[in-house]
């Protein structure tokens, strides 16, 4: 619909929602039909950009909502398969055209929707999951940074996997050595990437399905120096510290602790505890690679929290790198919510 200011001057065109707090999502400042040609052009622009920033990877975010000026539309590419999320009423209505465009442009073997996400309820949209066109096998194998990963697009977490850490896997690889620990490993993303540079890696997750996937991925790459353990990471870290276990690299990539601003305080306590425990079991000269995907926790909050954990752990720590999500998840300058992932690489002296 057209958006006008109080004096009826045209401002642009937006998707409208009669339910969400976000009533309008701006699509364009121009007067032009929001039709197939418009959407195809935006999707093509997004795809062209990925060709510039994605290397050696068949799995990446093809369309990242506001970051590609297609608010509330997410499209992840897993090789010959595409996974779509339409997260607002307006985008939901455009879903058939979008599926059609994807079929025409990319000739995928299958387009899947993973609209089984709670934010849809804020739009009064139902939960939905299934094949929109073509087929969806139980397992899709794709390369990420040259490693092979299997994902289940219909049953896996998110759209099958977490694609936003792709560049951070590489960064982690460049520091890793010795004995490493990957907490919240899911499909083994960090663990498998750093395994080549480490003597041994231990990946922890509370989900058995995740660890099955992680082992499958280790097998696919012929990696044998990685072990998996089903555990609550908080409990594991505490027990490891008490048992005097030490690691040269600790990766912490938990799920978002602050999904709402009202959870911020308890989220920061969670991050502090986790990082305190992570620092305690780190050898001198070792690296802590620590992440937060909670938008409400700013980088400054996160740094302050870890600083306070370091003080409590009696550790002297330097900040080696301050990183964020991969470039296939673009940050829109005027929409701060699009910068959500923090990934700090720290070194304990
Ligand atoms: N590092 C992963 C993504 C992690 S997502 C990657 O790069 O792909 C968060 C993971 O943490 C999920 O797999 C979830 O099963 C797991 N998880 C959530 N709470 C947990 C807990 N308390 N202890 C261990 N694992 C947990």
């Amino acid at each position: 619909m057209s958006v006008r200011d109080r004096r009826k001057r045209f401002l642009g065109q937006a998707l409208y929602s009669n339910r969400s707090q976000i009533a309008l999502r701006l699509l364009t400042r121009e007067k032009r039909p929001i039709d197939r040609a418009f959407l195809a052009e935006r999707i093509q622009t997004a795809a062209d950009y990925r060709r510039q920033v994605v290397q050696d990877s068949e799995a990446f975010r093809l369309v990242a909502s506001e970051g590609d000026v297609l608010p509330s539309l997410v499209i992840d590419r897993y090789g010959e398969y595409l996974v779509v999320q339409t997260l607002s009423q307006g985008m939901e209505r455009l879903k058939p055209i979008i599926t059609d465009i994807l079929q025409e442009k990319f000739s995928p073997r299958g387009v899947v929707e993973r609209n089984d996400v709670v934010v849809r309820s804020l739009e009064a949209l139902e939960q939905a999951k299934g094949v929109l066109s073509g087929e969806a096998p139980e397992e899709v194998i794709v390369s990420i940074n040259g490693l092979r990963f299997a994902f289940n697009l219909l049953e896996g977490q998110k759209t099958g996997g977490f694609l936003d850490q792709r560049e951070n896997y590489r960064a982690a690889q460049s520091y890793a050595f010795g004995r490493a620990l990957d907490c919240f490993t899911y499909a083994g993303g960090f663990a498998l990437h750093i395994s080549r540079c480490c003597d041994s890696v231990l990946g922890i997750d509370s989900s058995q399905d995740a660890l099955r996937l992680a082992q499958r991925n280790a097998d696919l790459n012929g990696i044998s120096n990685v072990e998996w353990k089903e555990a609550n990471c908080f409990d594991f870290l505490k027990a490891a510290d008490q048992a005097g276990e030490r690691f040269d690299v600790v990766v912490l990539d938990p799920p978002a602790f602050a999904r709402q601003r009202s959870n911020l305080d308890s989220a920061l306590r969670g991050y502090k505890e986790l990082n305190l425990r992570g620092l305690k079991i780190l050898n001198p000269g070792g690296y802590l690679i620590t992440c937060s995907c909670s938008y409400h926790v700013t980088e400054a909050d996160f740094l302050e929290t870890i600083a306070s954990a370091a003080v409590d752990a009696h550790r002297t720590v330097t900040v080696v790198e301050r990183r964020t999500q991969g470039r296939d998840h673009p940050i829109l300058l005027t929409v701060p919510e699009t910068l959500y992932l923090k990934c700090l690489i720290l070194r304990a002296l």
Side-chain angles (χ1 to χ4, degrees):
M1 65 154 56
S2 292
V3 185
R4 290 170 193 281
D5 69 8
R6 231 174 284 162
R7 286 192 244 146
K8 300 264 160 45
R9 273 182 313 207
F10 178 82
L11 292 176
Q13 297 187 76
L15 298 171
Y16 169 72
S17 169
N18 69 1
R19 282 293 185 95
S20 168
Q21 280 183 13
I22 310 168
L24 296 171
R25 291 177 167 88
L26 193 68
L27 283 168
T28 173
R29 293 193 179 86
E30 289 170 34
K31 275 186 187 158
R32 56 176 290 192
I34 305 301
D35 55 8
R36 187 189 170 100
F38 173 88
L39 293 166
E41 193 184 301
R42 285 277 159 98
I43 292 172
Q44 188 60 49
T45 304
D48 291 344
Y49 170 66
R50 275 31 177 210
R51 269 199 284 280
Q52 290 185 295
V53 298
V54 178
Q55 282 99 34
D56 303 326
S57 298
E58 295 161 339
F60 52 86
R61 184 148 291 185
L62 180 67
V63 170
S65 199
E66 277 83 3
D68 288 291
V69 216
L70 285 166
S72 63
L73 176 65
V74 171
I75 304 172
D76 283 346
R77 179 157 201 170
Y78 291 85
E80 295 179 288
Y81 297 87
L82 295 167
V83 184
V84 176
Q85 295 179 313
T86 44
L87 304 174
S88 72
Q89 294 176 353
M91 206 48 94
E92 174 71 7
R93 275 195 295 275
L94 297 171
K95 191 167 71 185
I97 308 181
I98 291 165
T99 310
D100 223 48
I101 293 169
L102 294 177
Q103 206 60 56
E104 184 189 278
K105 257 189 202 311
F106 305 106
S107 315
R109 283 190 174 202
V111 181
V112 166
E113 76 173 308
R114 282 304 296 271
N115 277 324
D116 49 332
V117 278
V118 276
V119 284
R120 295 236 322 172
S121 62
L122 303 176
E123 297 276 336
L125 294 170
E126 80 290 3
Q127 301 289 301
K129 168 166 95 166
V131 178
L132 295 175
S133 79
E135 41 121 31
E138 239 179 62
E139 178 179 84
V140 173
I141 297 175
V142 288
S143 79
I144 296 179
N145 298 320
L147 283 171
R148 295 171 79 209
F149 281 88
F151 292 106
N152 184 330
L153 306 185
L154 280 168
E155 301 306 326
Q157 297 189 31
K158 288 272 192 95
T159 61
F162 298 82
L163 303 180
D164 49 5
Q165 295 283 24
R166 187 174 42 80
E167 295 177 9
N168 296 329
Y169 295 150
R170 281 223 158 141
Q173 219 168 17
S174 66
Y175 301 101
F177 69 99
R179 183 177 188 220
L181 176 68
D182 178 18
C183 290
F184 311 93
T185 190
Y186 185 53
F190 279 101
L192 297 173
H193 274 83
I194 62 179
S195 68
R196 294 257 149 85
C197 323
C198 293
D199 300 329
S200 68
V201 185
L202 179 58
I204 313 273
D205 204 284
S206 55
S207 152
Q208 228 174 50
D209 286 343
L211 294 180
R212 253 195 298 276
L213 193 57
Q215 181 55 45
R216 169 86 178 116
N217 292 333
D219 293 342
L220 278 173
N221 294 286
I223 293 172
S224 56
N225 62 339
V226 180
E227 273 182 57
W228 314 103
K229 187 177 164 67
E230 186 186 335
N232 178 321
C233 288
F234 286 88
D235 300 341
F236 173 84
L237 288 168
K238 190 173 179 180
D241 181 35
Q242 279 165 0
E245 292 208 45
R246 294 295 177 265
F247 294 87
D248 300 304
V249 177
V250 174
V251 180
L252 303 173
D253 184 22
F257 291 159
R259 291 191 197 280
Q260 291 143 15
R261 192 178 297 278
S262 55
N263 295 344
L264 183 59
D265 284 344
S266 72
L268 291 178
R269 279 195 297 279
Y271 287 117
K272 177 165 174 188
E273 185 184 335
L274 194 62
N275 284 278
L276 173 69
R277 295 191 192 289
L279 283 167
K280 279 189 165 174
I281 58 164
L282 202 57
N283 280 326
Y287 288 91
L288 177 69
I289 296 158
T290 183
C291 308
S292 163
C293 58
S294 306
Y295 155 69
H296 296 292
V297 175
T298 64
E299 193 198 45
D301 292 336
F302 196 45
L303 278 164
E304 193 180 314
T305 302
I306 294 160
S308 137
V311 169
D312 287 7
H314 308 294
R315 298 302 298 262
T316 306
V317 172
T318 60
V319 180
V320 179
E321 285 197 46
R322 292 159 47 201
R323 306 181 55 86
T324 181
Q325 67 244 26
R327 289 166 294 167
D328 51 332
H329 294 60
I331 297 162
L332 188 62
L333 188 57
T334 48
V335 178
E337 289 86 344
T338 56
L339 198 180
Y340 66 96
L341 183 65
K342 281 74 58 186
C343 172
L344 301 176
I345 301 184
L346 307 169
R347 183 161 184 266
L349 300 183

